[in-house]
Amino acid sequence: MAATLCQVMGFVLSLLGVGGIIAATGMDQWATEDLYDNPVTAIFSYSGLWRSCVRQSSGFTECRPYFTILGLPAMLQAVRALMIVGMVLGAIGCLVAIFALKCLKMGNMEDSVKATMTLTSGVMFLLGGGCGIAGVSVFANLIVSSFRFTTYADGGYGGGGVLGGGLGGMGGSLTPRYTFGSALFVGWIGGAVLVVGGVMMCMACRGMVPPEEKRPNYGMAYKPASQHTTVYKANTRPRTAYDDSFRAQSMDGRQSNQQYV
């Protein structure tokens, strides 16, 4: 019962973790403009893995996707790859975990097979969660490294930034500094929950392995046939005169028989 409960809870947590990684990957608020020095602004910019956006004070938001791949920083492409690998591993792990649930009967599947599938899904969850946390951490490192980078833009829509060609001001304003967006926290939480779910799945695997049953002993022990030995006991009765005379007569009778043959 404990193994089943641990497996179900690990599966639920893993689903939530995979959902968090998917949501973080699709969000645009990976890097948001820092408004600490300028809380009142007409333009608020933010960027994600796939596009950069500008929101005006009137509520109008304009987003522009990253149409090029070669022009993006190598670290951003690495973050994309890590998040995609984390999603794929998490999705495959969830698919394997569904068939490995002990509370579901899948034909004549043995408990040992389900235990192996549970361990496999747990390892996939651990790897997927690690990839998600690593991807978010790499992007956060990019933000921290470029936080103090401030230059003048030449004007127009675009300029320097975290993504190396991200969002800038309009008409010669300072390029905004970026800070952590909400997508980073969603990715961190999702990756951590996915790792916890993977650990619980691996723990449930140990409780699902059936104990080794005692096999009946079909062999028969060989026992040699008992050998009946005859024990001869010496006659300890004391000899008498009658025994000596009887022995002498028998000896005489044997000699006489040999003479008449």
Side-chain angles (χ1 to χ4, degrees):
M1 184 63 183
T4 304
L5 181 61
C6 184
Q7 185 189 33
V8 173
M9 291 184 62
F11 176 68
V12 173
L13 290 177
S14 300
L15 282 178
L16 296 177
V18 173
I21 292 179
I22 294 175
T25 305
M27 293 175 65
D28 296 328
Q29 291 81 14
W30 280 69
T32 58
E33 183 180 354
D34 184 23
L35 301 179
Y36 179 77
D37 295 333
N38 187 17
V40 180
T41 180
I43 297 176
F44 176 74
S45 59
Y46 54 92
S47 60
L49 297 179
W50 313 102
R51 60 181 184 174
S52 57
C53 301
V54 171
R55 186 178 62 195
Q56 300 180 3
S57 58
S58 60
F60 177 76
T61 302
E62 182 182 0
C63 296
R64 182 179 63 179
Y66 303 140
F67 295 104
T68 181
I69 297 179
L70 300 178
L72 296 176
M75 297 302 293
L76 178 61
Q77 298 182 17
V79 172
R80 284 182 174 182
L82 287 173
M83 299 304 293
I84 292 175
V85 171
M87 288 190 301
V88 172
L89 290 176
I92 296 177
C94 289
L95 183 62
V96 175
I98 292 176
F99 295 98
L101 290 176
K102 195 174 182 180
C103 57
L104 298 179
K105 299 297 182 181
M106 303 297 295
N108 296 327
M109 186 178 297
E110 298 179 357
D111 292 339
S112 59
V113 178
K114 286 193 173 184
T116 304
M117 296 176 65
T118 301
L119 179 61
T120 302
S121 61
V123 173
M124 288 185 176
F125 290 149
L126 290 175
L127 294 177
C131 289
I133 294 175
V136 176
S137 300
V138 169
F139 196 92
N141 184 53
L142 289 176
I143 296 177
V144 173
S145 300
S146 61
F147 180 76
R148 299 183 180 275
F149 178 75
T150 303
T151 58
Y152 281 94
D154 296 334
Y157 183 72
V162 176
L163 302 179
L167 298 174
M170 302 292 292
S173 61
L174 285 175
T175 300
R177 295 190 303 181
Y178 292 91
T179 184
F180 294 166
S182 57
L184 296 180
F185 300 100
V186 174
W188 274 321
I189 295 175
V193 172
L194 186 57
V195 169
V196 173
V199 171
M200 295 186 68
M201 294 292 285
C202 294
M203 292 175 59
C205 171
R206 298 186 59 182
M208 293 177 60
V209 177
E212 186 177 359
E213 299 179 357
K214 295 182 179 180
R215 299 180 179 179
N217 187 8
Y218 294 104
M220 298 179 63
Y222 173 76
K223 294 182 179 180
S226 59
Q227 298 178 357
H228 299 281
T229 58
T230 304
V231 179
Y232 296 94
K233 295 183 179 180
N235 189 6
T236 58
R237 185 172 60 88
R239 295 175 59 182
T240 59
Y242 176 77
D243 294 333
D244 294 337
S245 62
F246 180 77
R247 183 179 180 183
Q249 292 178 3
S250 60
M251 292 295 293
D252 294 340
R254 290 179 183 177
Q255 293 179 358
S256 60
N257 290 334
Q258 290 179 358
Q259 293 177 359
Y260 288 104
V261 172

